[in-house]
């Protein structure tokens, strides 16, 4: 006679994951190895500053072989109440509850489940959500790339044409041992609008016709590349302009503002904006057409940044002086 198949075992891990860190990762991976199906219950409260949907996405990315369920964190911190809620939510109690907290044993007992304590003393992974919230950069090694992207300090180097933005962004990234994001708008201008051909005579040059949708594409691509680089960055990320700046170029070339482009720019608020002033000689590299409007563009940057309640660090003087001031501003930010 054949043997009956072994019953599938179910496990439960419950927490705020506020934010997700490698202590949580150790707990979840330990639990997953011991059961056939693992549910991770994420408790979300409106007072939490990191959105629940973002924490859920982190969990799903980090643990794709688990079921992640977000629930409202409205019950008192009382094991029996939460045990009743779990059974009502899933229709049954889990076979095993895994936790790193003292509530785990009475919580499991109230459901008739077995309890497994994992690293209660935080000796294997010495970190906590409170510690990360208090000093995320100081606990960088305990964060997954998707979580690092949330906490990384984003520094935007922006301004009118030929004010040293690209060189400064690259040099700052080298100075701080991290990533930088080149300006996609410049790449699009050279390859798509100019077809890779340099401007031979600026006096007779006619600006190619633009469509508003192109600026939306530029802003979206810039934002996407920035988000990807944020996962690789080492505590700080430098951006050669950003989606916000794309809105100003739309204003320049189209003669009006674009709600769609500016909406993209509002998705990410930089931690620091370094605005390069146009008080250095204009260098024509064959692809620039904005010498005559540098001062006007600089003024527009100041106006639009003020509208967004952003106070930039304006960089003036020669190249060396700008870099020194920029480094000091970033060092202050990192403190």
């Amino acid at each position: 006679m054949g043997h009956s198949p072994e019953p599938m075992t179910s496990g439960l891990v419950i927490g705020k994951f506020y934010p997700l860190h490698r202590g949580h990762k150790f707990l979840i991976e330990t639990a997953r190895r011991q059961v056939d199906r693992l549910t991770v219950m994420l408790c979300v409260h409106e007072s939490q500053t990191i959105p629940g949907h973002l924490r859920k996405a982190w969990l799903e990315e980090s643990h794709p072989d688990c079921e992640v369920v977000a629930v409202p964190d409205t019950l008192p911190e009382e094991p029996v109440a939460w045990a009743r809620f779990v059974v009502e939510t899933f229709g049954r109690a889990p076979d095993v509850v895994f936790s790193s907290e003292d509530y785990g044993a009475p919580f499991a007992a109230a459901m008739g489940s077995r309890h497994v304590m994992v690293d209660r003393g935080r000796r294997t992974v010495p970190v906590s959500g409170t510690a990360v919230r208090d000093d995320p950069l100081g606990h960088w090694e305990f964060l997954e790339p998707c979580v690092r992207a949330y906490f990384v300090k984003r520094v935007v180097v922006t301004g009118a044409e030929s004010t040293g933005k690209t060189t400064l962004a690259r040099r700052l990234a080298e100075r701080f041992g991290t990533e930088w994001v080149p300006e996609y708008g410049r790449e699009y201008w050279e390859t798509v609008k100019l077809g890779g051909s340099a401007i031979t005579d600026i006096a007779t040059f006619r600006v190619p016709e633009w469509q508003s949708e192109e600026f939306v594409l530029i802003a979206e691509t810039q934002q996407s590349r920035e988000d990807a680089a944020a996962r690789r960055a080492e505590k700080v990320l430098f951006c050669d302009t950003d989606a916000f700046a794309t809105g100003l170029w739309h204003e320049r070339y189209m003669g009006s503002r674009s709600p769609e482009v500016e909406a993209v720019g509002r998705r990410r608020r930089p931690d620091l904006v370094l605005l390069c002033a146009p008080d250095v000689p204009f260098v024509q590299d064959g692809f620039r057409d904005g010498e005559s409007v540098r001062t006007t563009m600089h003024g527009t940057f100041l106006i639009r940044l003020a509208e967004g309640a952003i106070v930039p660090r304006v960089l003036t003087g020669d190249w060396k002086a700008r870099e020194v001031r920029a480094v000091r501003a970033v060092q202050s930010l990192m403190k």
Side-chain angles (χ1 to χ4, degrees):
M1 295 184 61
H3 293 285
S4 299
E6 291 291 329
M8 299 283 284
T9 56
S10 61
L12 175 69
V13 171
I14 183 171
K16 298 180 177 66
F17 308 100
Y18 183 46
L20 177 68
H21 54 67
R22 288 186 176 165
H24 296 133
K25 181 180 178 66
F26 179 73
L27 168 63
I28 294 171
E29 290 182 344
T30 299
R32 183 65 187 88
R33 288 193 294 268
Q34 298 183 38
V35 295
D36 297 304
R37 299 190 312 275
L38 182 66
T39 298
V40 180
M41 180 179 284
L42 167 66
C43 302
V44 180
H45 193 273
E46 60 182 10
S47 65
Q48 296 161 347
T49 56
I50 304 175
H53 70 85
L54 185 57
R55 285 178 282 149
K56 186 174 186 290
W58 291 343
L59 285 163
E60 290 173 336
E61 177 179 332
S62 302
H63 303 281
D65 57 347
C66 299
E67 178 187 18
V68 181
V69 179
V71 300
D73 187 4
T74 55
L75 295 175
E77 294 187 6
E78 199 282 311
V80 174
W82 277 99
R84 186 181 303 116
F85 175 78
V86 168
V87 174
E88 290 174 351
T89 300
F90 296 104
R92 56 161 290 182
D95 296 309
V96 193
V97 171
F98 299 85
S99 79
S100 300
E101 305 285 352
D102 292 334
Y103 72 78
F107 172 56
M111 294 185 289
S113 305
R114 183 163 63 90
H115 177 249
V116 174
M117 181 68 79
V118 180
D119 196 23
R120 176 65 183 92
R122 306 292 194 274
R123 286 184 288 271
T124 303
V125 188
V127 70
S128 69
T130 301
V132 173
R133 291 196 303 276
D134 289 343
D135 184 14
L137 301 188
H139 296 84
W140 202 249
E141 69 273 22
F142 297 108
L143 305 180
E144 294 299 295
C146 55
V147 185
R148 289 180 176 185
Y150 176 82
F151 286 109
V152 70
K153 298 296 184 182
R154 303 190 186 217
V155 178
V156 174
V157 185
T158 194
E161 278 190 311
S162 191
T163 53
K165 304 183 297 295
T166 301
T167 300
L168 182 58
R170 182 175 60 247
R171 288 179 65 86
L172 288 172
E174 293 170 353
R175 169 69 172 74
F176 288 91
T178 189
E179 299 281 323
W180 73 288
V181 185
E183 179 186 4
Y184 178 64
R186 166 76 182 223
E187 176 185 331
Y188 189 91
W189 168 256
E190 291 184 10
T191 60
V192 177
K193 304 307 289 184
L194 298 183
S197 300
I199 301 172
T200 55
D201 184 358
I202 193 66
T204 59
F205 174 71
R206 297 187 62 180
V207 176
E209 184 177 346
W210 283 90
Q211 301 296 324
S212 189
E213 293 77 13
E214 292 178 282
F215 292 92
V216 177
L217 171 64
I218 292 170
E220 292 279 10
T221 303
Q222 185 75 34
Q223 188 71 77
S224 177
R225 292 184 177 185
E226 180 181 327
D227 290 342
R231 290 168 168 257
R232 306 186 302 268
E234 183 60 31
K235 301 183 180 181
V236 60
L237 174 67
F238 295 98
C239 306
D240 177 6
T241 77
D242 61 355
F244 166 85
T246 305
L248 275 69
W249 297 113
H250 182 283
E251 194 171 349
R252 177 199 166 183
Y253 285 112
M254 303 299 295
S256 63
R257 301 174 68 170
S258 166
E260 293 82 4
V261 174
E262 294 181 9
V264 177
R266 285 193 294 271
R267 293 179 195 167
R268 298 286 185 275
R269 185 178 179 87
D271 296 282
L272 174 65
V273 173
L274 301 173
L275 178 61
C276 298
D279 60 346
V280 288
F282 184 90
V283 177
Q284 178 53 263
D285 61 358
F287 294 96
R288 292 170 174 154
D289 73 326
E291 181 175 10
S292 63
V293 296
R294 281 206 306 170
T295 301
T296 301
M297 285 296 297
H298 182 71
T300 303
F301 268 100
L302 289 171
I303 292 170
R304 298 291 176 254
L305 287 167
E307 289 176 351
I310 296 175
V311 180
R313 181 67 61 89
V314 180
L315 303 179
T316 59
D318 60 28
W319 305 121
K320 182 61 177 177
R322 291 170 187 244
E323 185 173 342
V324 169
R325 293 192 187 101
V327 168
R328 289 175 180 168
V330 176
Q331 289 173 332
S332 179
L333 172 69
M334 301 301 287
K335 291 179 182 178

